[in-house]
Structure formats: C-alpha cells, structure tokens
Amino acid sequence: MISETALRWGGGGSIIRELSAYGAQRAREVGPENVFDFAIGSPSADPPPTLHAAVRRLMDFVPPAELHTYVPAPGIPAVRAKIADYLNRSFSMAYRPEDICLTDGASSALALLCRVLLAPGEEVIIPTPAFPEYWVYVEAMGATVKAVPCLAESFQLDLAALEAAVTERTALVILNSPNNPSGAVYPREDLEQLTAMLSRRERELGRPIYLLADEPYRELVYGGTEVPFLPGMYPDAIYCYSFSKSLSIPGERVGFLALHPEAAERDRLFDAIQGAMRITGYLCVSPLFQLAAAECLGTTADVSVYERNRDLICDGLRRLGYQFPEPQGAFYLLLKAPEGDGRAFSRRCMAEDVLVVPGEEFFCPGYVRLAYCVPEERLRRALPAFRKIAESYGILP
Ligand code: PLP
C-alpha cells in the first residue's frame, strides 16, 4: 500500500516550483530579460575559486578508487577532524571529530534529527515565519508543530510566547538565524534568555529539550551583525550547517551536524543518527565534495554581492512606498502586501512578470518573500514593474 504520509507531502505542487515553471514559460514568450524571478533561494554568487581549485587538485592527485568510493556514513575521519577543529577555533568549543556527522546538506541533518528525536504526540516549537520543510520532517513522525509567531514588523523572537509554548510534550525547538524568509538575525541577549528558559524547563521536566540550530546562512550577514553560536550557550543545541549557501554549491549536497560533547544523551543520540541513516538508505556524502568543502572552511563565495543587492532593492522599494523590515542576513526580504493578502499580492506581481512567493507559504500571512540572490541587473530591471504595481495599489509617495 502506498504510504499516505508520503503521498501527503509528494502529491501537491509546491508554489515555488509552480512559480518557476510559470516564469520559464513567460521567458519563452516575452524573453528571459523581461521575467523577474525572485522565487527561489538558490545562490547567485559563484563558488569561491578555492573550491574549484580544491576539486581540481583532488581530481588530479587522489586516486579515483579513493575519491569515488564509499566512505563511512558519518564522514571521512580527516574531514570530521577538520570541521571539529574549525568550530573549536571559531567558537571556543570543544567538539571532537566523532561529534561531527556529515550530511546531505542541512535538510538531511534536520530530517534525520527529527526522525531520531520525535515520537507521535510530541511537540516541536518553531518561531514563524519559517522554512516550510520543517513541517514535513516533524509531521512525518506523527509529531506536531507549535508555531510561535515572531514579533510583528521586526520578526524578532517573542520570548514570552516561546516560554508559554513549552509543555511537557515539547521535544524540540527549531531556530533558524539568519532567517529564511525574514532575513532577521536573532541577537545574543534574546538567545541567552531563550536558552536560559529552556535550561530551566529541562530541569523542571527532568529531560532534555533539544534545540536544532539551523544555520545555512550563518556567513550571510550585513553590517557586521553578529550570529551567536547557540551550542556555546546550550549543550542540548545541535548545530546543523550546510555549505549550500556559503560556498554556493546547493546541488552538491554537503553539510554536517555537530553534537555537543556534553549533550545529555550524546552517545545514544549519535548511534540513533547512524541508525536513521541506515533506515533511510543514506550511505555517505560525496567524498570529493566532503574533502573539497573541508579545504574551504573559513572561506565563502563573495557574499558581498548579496549585501549590494539588499541595499539596491531595499532602497528602490522604499522609494516606491513599499513596507518591509530591512533584512540583516540571508538573501530574502519580506515585503508587506499593500492590501494585507500575500497570495493576492503575489498574483498581482505575477501579472507584471514579477515572481515572489506568498508569505502564507512560510506561515507569514500578509507578506510575500522576495529572494534577492539574483543578478543585480534583474533587480534594477524589475523596479519599473514594482513601480507599476505600487501605482495600482496607490502607495507611490
Ligand atoms: N534551512 C533553511 C532555513 C533553508 O532555507 C534551507 C534551504 O533553502 C535549508 C535549510 C536546506 O538547505 P540545504 O539542504 O541545501 O543545506
């Protein structure tokens, strides 16, 4: 019998994919330069030259039998050691190589951890707006999401609401900063308060409440904004990282999770992750890209292009009368729908060949998400279309 759970998540079309298909069709009709696709969060910066140099060197000098073979599921030992060392130097931590587990991007780290940490009836607290795939990972396990809306306008954490959301059924909290889709970065004071509250609740409940720190956008921050390292504040935080955005290699599928050496159930957790990998037929991350990514630790693609894009689009849209919180990180902007309906606003934009995703997809009604990880030219050329849309809503100053 075909799994109803799998059907539930596989049958329906994704709005982002629908928008992209529509964009491709319109590009054939009116020319690609006249279609302004801001739907997908795929990095536009080229990978750094160090990445290509590392791949070339590995291809030339490592025997093919070593490069294309199966490697241990949690990763190549030398790669795990380099990652642990990098985290320790960067964040004053004490990870050991065996605390690191290579994963197929941050997605598989999150999906594996949900599989390992959740049982039917348990609850997962997620501040919204948020990445919708979390719901898939959580609900596939029979657990439920307790969405806790962030503060209006700023999209910062509502600490009182988060505290009120913790119950005896809370198993996990998922935090994503810099945030997709809001571009918000949660400040140190808020994270300290949140982790202090979770530690207190752990003691009261007599069991761990795990915190998944989903940080594929860690390096994409503007104006010197700090991204505090959550596991430094809370041993039951599991760090989920990806090289997709920092090295602009989303298709290569390289990321890792890091278990805090002092996590409450560290050894059982590690064994369960290995088990979840077997259950899902997960063998290993491409050795070529594990090795190449490990050589690039501490380097990134030229992410300054996103800061320039952010400044350009924020300035342009502000002059046209649009409202939005200025993103501090990632490469997304949440634009307020002038009449309060994100879906209607997205459709209105579509009529001008501007493709933006309704905020409703990210549990953020009344907004649309604009991904500005695109060539700068596309942002400039889209401004007249945004002007026309602003005129039609009567918001042009
Ligand atoms: N988490 C967030 C918040 C994301 O936006 C994404 C991708 O867009 C991911 C996780 C997954 O990324 P990947 O699996 O490529 O690392």
Side-chain angles (χ1 to χ4, degrees):
M1 202 169 70
I2 293 175
S3 151
E4 287 302 323
T5 312
L7 272 176
R8 177 174 169 209
W9 297 110
S14 127
I15 292 212
I16 297 184
R17 262 180 267 142
E18 268 172 43
L19 280 168
S20 288
Y22 174 81
Q25 182 209 317
R26 287 296 291 156
R28 285 191 292 276
E29 289 164 8
V30 299
E33 68 285 4
N34 297 313
V35 179
F36 311 111
D37 188 346
F38 303 116
I40 290 189
S42 187
S44 54
D46 283 337
T50 43
L51 190 263
H52 282 163
V55 170
R56 267 191 230 104
R57 208 170 39 248
L58 290 161
M59 296 287 286
D60 287 345
F61 295 111
V62 179
E66 282 177 36
L67 206 53
H68 304 299
T69 187
Y70 293 121
V71 292
I76 297 171
V79 171
R80 298 169 75 193
K82 273 192 178 176
I83 293 173
D85 179 55
Y86 175 73
L87 295 177
N88 295 343
R89 278 186 288 112
S90 306
F91 308 114
S92 306
M93 298 294 293
Y95 287 111
R96 303 156 303 175
E98 59 267 33
D99 297 321
I100 309 299
C101 193
L102 272 289
T103 57
D104 181 351
S107 314
S108 86
L110 294 159
L112 285 167
L113 287 164
C114 285
R115 188 171 264 272
V116 161
L117 293 169
L118 294 176
E122 291 189 322
E123 293 172 353
V124 177
I125 295 178
I126 302 180
T128 53
F131 184 52
E133 292 302 292
Y134 300 148
W135 275 251
V136 182
Y137 310 145
V138 171
E139 291 178 8
M141 299 308 298
T144 51
V145 172
K146 228 176 184 186
V148 178
C150 283
L151 300 171
E153 311 287 333
S154 71
F155 294 113
Q156 288 295 333
L157 297 175
D158 183 337
L159 294 167
L162 285 165
E163 176 156 15
V166 178
T167 70
E168 63 285 351
R169 285 188 299 279
T170 306
L172 265 187
V173 178
I174 303 181
L175 273 200
N176 165 228
S177 170
N179 185 264
N180 172 13
S182 72
V185 179
Y186 306 139
R188 177 171 291 278
E189 314 81 87
D190 285 10
L191 298 177
E192 280 172 352
Q193 277 193 50
L194 176 74
T195 51
M197 179 275 284
L198 290 175
S199 301
R200 199 175 61 247
R201 297 295 281 142
E202 279 192 325
R203 282 194 299 276
E204 285 164 12
L205 293 167
R207 60 164 178 79
I209 300 175
Y210 285 99
L211 176 58
L212 305 190
D214 178 25
E215 298 193 1
Y217 302 97
R218 161 166 283 280
E219 295 83 1
L220 277 63
V221 283
Y222 313 120
T225 305
E226 183 200 14
V227 183
F229 190 69
L230 273 165
M233 304 176 189
Y234 188 69
D236 286 329
I238 304 175
Y239 184 60
C240 302
Y241 182 78
S242 168
F243 295 96
S244 293
K245 319 285 176 172
S246 61
L247 295 180
S248 292
I249 52 167
E252 305 300 353
R253 315 305 307 136
V254 202
F256 63 85
L257 60 84
L259 295 181
H260 197 296
E262 288 160 26
E265 305 166 300
R266 152 80 190 63
D267 294 348
R268 274 162 46 80
L269 195 49
F270 185 81
D271 289 347
I273 292 166
Q274 306 315 297
M277 286 179 158
R278 288 181 72 185
I279 292 167
T280 52
Y282 173 100
L283 290 182
C284 59
V285 171
S286 148
L288 171 60
F289 277 91
Q290 288 192 35
L291 292 164
E295 288 196 23
C296 295
L297 285 162
T299 48
T300 64
D302 178 9
V303 298
S304 68
V305 297
Y306 305 126
E307 183 157 15
R308 285 200 296 281
N309 281 1
R310 177 198 70 152
D311 293 347
L312 192 158
I313 194 68
C314 287
D315 186 52
L317 292 175
R318 208 175 281 117
R319 285 170 198 270
L320 295 173
Y322 290 101
Q323 289 179 9
F324 51 88
E326 178 142 327
Q328 302 158 287
F331 38 46
Y332 307 104
L333 176 113
L334 275 181
L335 196 55
K336 205 168 192 172
E339 288 176 349
D341 180 341
R343 291 187 204 284
F345 184 39
S346 165
R347 276 196 301 277
R348 172 70 193 90
C349 292
M350 218 164 151
E352 302 299 332
D353 291 321
V354 173
L355 307 182
V356 285
V357 185
E360 283 76 359
E361 294 298 305
F362 304 94
F363 308 90
C364 184
Y367 285 81
V368 296
R369 187 194 76 170
L370 185 159
Y372 55 83
C373 43
V374 297
E376 187 183 313
E377 185 59 15
R378 190 182 304 170
L379 291 168
R380 287 192 195 285
R381 287 177 57 90
L383 286 174
F386 276 116
R387 167 178 281 272
K388 204 165 156 196
I389 299 164
E391 270 167 0
S392 71
Y393 281 111
I395 58 170
L396 203 61

